[in-house]
Amino acid sequence: MFNTMLRMKTLHLLQAHMSCCSVVRQNVHQLASIKHVCLLSERRRQGLLYPFSALKEHLTPQVDQAEFKIFHPSLNDLCRAETLFTPSHKNHIEYSTSAVRMDHVPVLKQPEVCFMGRSNVGKSSLIRALFSLAPDVDVRVSKTPGHTKKLNFFTVGKAFALVDMPGYGHRAPQDFVEMVEPYLQERQNLVRTFLLVDSGAGLQRADLVAVEMLEEFSLPYVLVVTKTDRTGQGALLTLMVQLQDFIKKQTSTCFPQPFLVSSVQFSGIHLLRCFIVHVTGNLRPTAEQT
């Protein structure tokens, strides 16, 4: 009787753990590849590949549209970048390891990018979307905000590494500062930090603290606006103009163009892939871009 009760309790705890944080072997999104996006109408294709194009028609003449298209690669550039996010016998894409302290961080030679943001900003879902062409890559997507407690490392062949950082804010790890600050300060191969901002909330106080830290360390970073499918075009446009003004007036190491993404609709994912491949030194856009 006791053994039966113990087994039932153990099964219950296991099921609870699995529902809290599942290791997702995701199905390939139907729009994960550009060849499928190109089958769409011109308007929808442009909206997915270059999300700002759906908003620009609502801009007033006083706003310089060029500021929102500083990085605007060609379709061919997007296709070239996609090849690095596609696994092959020469390009292994995989989860590498996790670390809770700097002495656990792996020694990697590839240039590295990291993703950080408030808990529940959609960080793990975005990384899962970026790696959607490699469905065997295990990306942990928590159903509970603040569940990510470690630095999770993914490697894309010899091209670059990507790091999923713990979320800050609600239910953030108590040792977040002890884990993240040393990594940001000491990681020699870190070439860009992607700071995620919820499109429905905008820059919050915790985000401003993260911006202050990145500015203090003189680290190059990028603002990525997530969950755009949940926000109307008017609110999105207002947020983009506000972020553009914030970057121009209050930052010195932030890339001047915010990126719009939706992991659900897959908009902006191809553009962000291309930017990652670009900043890690694996692609020089053919168009006149930075």
Side-chain angles (χ1 to χ4, degrees), residues 13 35 46 62 67 80 93 100 119 129-130 138 143 160 165 171 194 250-251 271 287 289:
L13 291 173
K35 68 178 182 180
Q46 287 295 313
Q62 291 76 23
E67 294 183 344
R80 290 163 59 201
I93 303 174
V100 294
S119 298
L130 291 170
D138 292 336
K143 295 182 179 179
F160 63 89
M165 307 184 79
R171 294 190 63 183
F194 292 84
Q250 301 187 47
T251 72
L271 183 64
Q289 313 303 336

Side-chain angles (χ1 to χ4, degrees), residues 85-127:
F85 281 90
T86 305
S88 67
H89 69 283
K90 292 184 178 180
N91 184 45
H92 296 283
I93 303 174
E94 58 188 357
Y95 161 76
S96 174
T97 188
S98 297
V100 294
R101 298 194 308 269
M102 277 304 291
D103 55 354
H104 293 166
V105 170
V107 177
L108 300 174
K109 296 181 179 179
Q110 303 99 314
E112 201 161 271
V113 297
C114 68
F115 282 68
M116 65 185 298
R118 290 188 302 115
S119 298
N120 204 33
V121 75
K123 178 166 47 64
S124 296
S125 294
L126 174 57
I127 294 174

Side-chain angles (χ1 to χ4, degrees), residues 208-252:
L208 296 176
V209 172
V211 166
E212 183 179 354
M213 178 174 60
L214 293 168
E215 291 282 336
E216 179 184 347
F217 297 161
S218 297
L219 294 175
Y221 63 102
V222 186
L223 296 183
V224 179
V225 181
T226 63
K227 302 181 181 180
T228 58
D229 55 285
R230 300 184 181 183
T231 307
Q233 287 192 341
L236 267 181
L237 186 57
T238 299
L239 177 59
M240 287 293 281
V241 173
Q242 291 174 346
L243 291 178
Q244 190 76 53
D245 187 64
F246 172 80
I247 292 172
K248 183 182 298 184
K249 296 180 179 179
Q250 301 187 47
T251 72
S252 60

Side-chain angles (χ1 to χ4, degrees), residues 115-287:
F115 282 68
M116 65 185 298
R118 290 188 302 115
S119 298
N120 204 33
V121 75
K123 178 166 47 64
S124 296
S125 294
L126 174 57
I127 294 174
R128 182 176 64 175
L130 291 170
F131 287 138
S132 59
L133 292 173
D136 288 335
V137 174
D138 292 336
V139 180
R140 295 181 179 271
V141 180
S142 174
K143 295 182 179 179
T144 305
H147 190 85
T148 302
K149 306 292 186 184
K150 304 175 182 179
L151 299 170
N152 297 314
F153 290 78
F154 302 86
T155 54
V156 180
K158 297 180 180 179
F160 63 89
L162 185 151
V163 184
D164 181 8
M165 307 184 79
Y168 52 78
H170 175 66
R171 294 190 63 183
Q174 293 183 356
D175 55 349
F176 175 83
V177 174
E178 286 78 5
M179 290 190 336
V180 172
E181 283 199 7
Y183 168 80
L184 293 174
Q185 286 184 294
E186 301 172 18
R187 196 64 167 172
Q188 296 298 313
N189 57 332
L190 177 64
V191 296
R192 196 73 51 131
T193 296
F194 292 84
L195 179 60
L196 276 52
V197 178
D198 191 317
S199 65
L203 282 171
Q204 299 293 294
R205 180 177 300 178
D207 300 321
L208 296 176
V209 172
V211 166
E212 183 179 354
M213 178 174 60
L214 293 168
E215 291 282 336
E216 179 184 347
F217 297 161
S218 297
L219 294 175
Y221 63 102
V222 186
L223 296 183
V224 179
V225 181
T226 63
K227 302 181 181 180
T228 58
D229 55 285
R230 300 184 181 183
T231 307
Q233 287 192 341
L236 267 181
L237 186 57
T238 299
L239 177 59
M240 287 293 281
V241 173
Q242 291 174 346
L243 291 178
Q244 190 76 53
D245 187 64
F246 172 80
I247 292 172
K248 183 182 298 184
K249 296 180 179 179
Q250 301 187 47
T251 72
S252 60
T253 60
C254 184
F255 189 71
Q257 174 187 334
F259 286 79
L260 293 165
V261 297
S262 167
S263 301
V264 175
Q265 296 179 340
F266 225 78
S267 63
I269 301 300
H270 303 90
L271 183 64
L272 190 59
R273 281 177 182 164
C274 192
F275 188 73
I276 292 171
V277 174
H278 169 55
V279 297
T280 54
N282 292 287
L283 182 146
R284 185 169 184 173
T286 54

